Amino acid sequence: MLLEGKNVLITGASRGIGRATAIECARHGADVALNWFKDREGMEETLAEVARLGRHAVEVEGDVARPESAERFVSAAAAALGGVDVFVSNAGICPFHAFLDTPLEVFERTMAVNLHGAYYMTQAAARQMKQQGTGGALIAISSISALVGGGMQAHYTPTKAGVHSLMQSCAIALGPYGIRCNSVMPGTIATDINREDLADPAKRAYMEKRIPLGRLGEARDVAGCVVFLASDLARYVTGASVLVDGGLFVNLQ
Ligand code: NAP
C-alpha cells in the first residue's frame, strides 16, 4: 500500500498504460481522477476495475491538446478528491509514418497531444500542488524513443524527448515546493498504440529477440515503476528518468 491516502491524476486512462497505472495506483491505496478522450467504453472498464479494488475514481473527458482541458481536469479532480498529490502525464498518440511525406497535420497533431498537452496538464497540476503547499509528484510517460530514433517516428520521438526535458526543467522549477518530477521511458509495451505494427509476426519476433528479458512489455510493467516514483520510497528522486524496457536500450547487437 505505497500510495495510501494519495490522490493520483492520470491522463489517457481509458486504455493501455494509463489504465494499468490507474489500477496499480488503486491497488496501492490511491484514489484516482482519470482523463480520457474518445474511448468511453474503455473508461467505463477502467472505472469498474478501480471500483472492484474499493477505491474512489472520477473521470473527466477532454482532449489534452486543448489548453482548457488541463484546468478543467485538475480543478474537477481536486474538487472531487479533495486535492492532488500525484499527476501522471500519459496520454499520447503514435501514428507511424515515413518521414519524407509525413502530412503536416500528422506532425502538428502529434506535437499538440504528446508535447503541448503534457505541458498544459503538468503546469495545471503543478499550480494546484503549489497552492496546496504539501508537495507532490509529477511523472511523465516519455519513451525509449527519447533516447533513440525511429525511421517512421520522426514526428513522435521529439515529443518523447520533449516530455523528458519538461520533467528535468520542472524538477528545478518546482523543487522548492517539494514537487518531484520524473519521467518513465517504456520500451516496447504491447498496447493498442503498436498493435498494428506488431501484428506482423516477423516484426514481433525480431523485437522479442532484441529484448534481453525475452518478451515485450505489458502495461502493468510500466505501472509498477510509476507507483514507485509516485510513492514516498522515491522521496529523494527528482529530475530522473527510468527505462522500463526489459533491457532493450542497452542491447547494441
Ligand atoms: P494506447 O493504448 O493507445 O492508449 C493511449 C491513451 O491516450 C488512451 O487512453 C487515449 O484515450 C489517450 N489519448 C490519446 N489522445 C488523447 C487526447 N488527445 N486527449 C486525451 N487522451 C488521449 O497507448 P499506450 O501504449 O498506453 O500509450 C500511453 C503512453 O505511453 C503514450 O504517451 C505513449 O507515447 C507512451 N509509450 C508507449 C509505449 C508502448 O510501447 N506502448 C512505449 C513508449 C511510450 P482515448 O482512447 O479515450 O482517446
Side-chain angles (χ1 to χ4, degrees):
M1 297 297 266
L2 291 175
L3 302 179
E4 200 150 29
K6 292 197 193 288
N7 298 325
V8 180
L9 278 60
I10 306 165
T11 62
S14 52
R15 293 180 283 136
I17 292 168
R19 174 190 289 174
T21 299
I23 293 167
E24 207 55 30
C25 288
R27 208 190 307 283
H28 278 275
D31 289 332
V32 294
L34 309 172
N35 154 267
W36 59 285
F37 182 35
K38 288 184 182 155
D39 188 359
R40 172 175 288 282
E41 217 174 284
M43 178 45 65
E44 296 295 338
E45 278 179 46
T46 310
L47 291 173
E49 292 271 359
V50 172
R52 265 196 285 281
L53 293 164
R55 303 312 315 176
H56 186 42
V58 293
E59 53 82 20
V60 183
E61 181 273 341
D63 179 357
V64 297
R66 301 179 69 88
E68 62 272 22
S69 299
E71 190 46 48
R72 211 162 62 82
F73 179 43
V74 173
S75 56
L81 303 179
V84 176
D85 302 300
V86 178
F87 172 77
V88 184
S89 176
N90 165 77
I93 55 172
C94 182
F96 292 83
H97 209 291
F99 174 57
L100 292 177
D101 59 358
T102 298
L104 182 61
E105 47 287 13
V106 171
F107 170 71
E108 288 185 339
R109 181 65 184 162
T110 308
M111 285 284 163
V113 173
N114 295 8
L115 184 56
H116 299 189
Y119 181 95
Y120 305 140
M121 282 281 180
T122 297
Q123 190 183 50
R127 284 174 175 158
Q128 173 68 29
M129 287 174 182
K130 179 188 172 229
Q131 190 191 317
Q132 290 170 196
T134 49
L138 303 174
I139 299 156
I141 306 300
S142 172
S143 172
I144 190 173
S145 306
L147 308 175
V148 293
M152 301 287 281
Q153 296 184 308
H155 50 296
Y156 172 80
T157 58
T159 67
K160 295 285 123 176
V163 297
H164 167 55
S165 170
L166 175 64
M167 287 300 107
Q168 291 181 315
S169 288
C170 285
I172 302 163
L174 303 173
Y177 306 109
I179 302 171
R180 297 182 297 103
C181 308
N182 296 289
S183 66
V184 175
M185 298 180 171
T188 302
I189 313 295
T191 67
D192 290 345
I193 215 168
N194 49 26
R195 190 177 302 282
E196 223 173 281
D197 192 44
L198 295 171
D200 173 2
K203 173 82 187 271
R204 195 182 175 100
Y206 167 75
M207 287 310 300
E208 284 166 348
K209 198 154 171 262
R210 286 201 53 198
I211 298 169
L213 289 184
R215 64 170 176 88
L216 300 180
E218 297 171 17
R220 68 190 177 128
D221 295 327
V222 181
C225 186
V226 174
V227 168
F228 164 69
L229 289 172
S231 78
D232 294 340
L233 285 182
R235 63 186 176 274
Y236 199 56
V237 182
T238 194
S241 59
V242 184
L243 274 163
V244 183
D245 69 345
L248 177 61
F249 179 68
V250 296
N251 189 8
L252 183 61
Q253 296 186 330

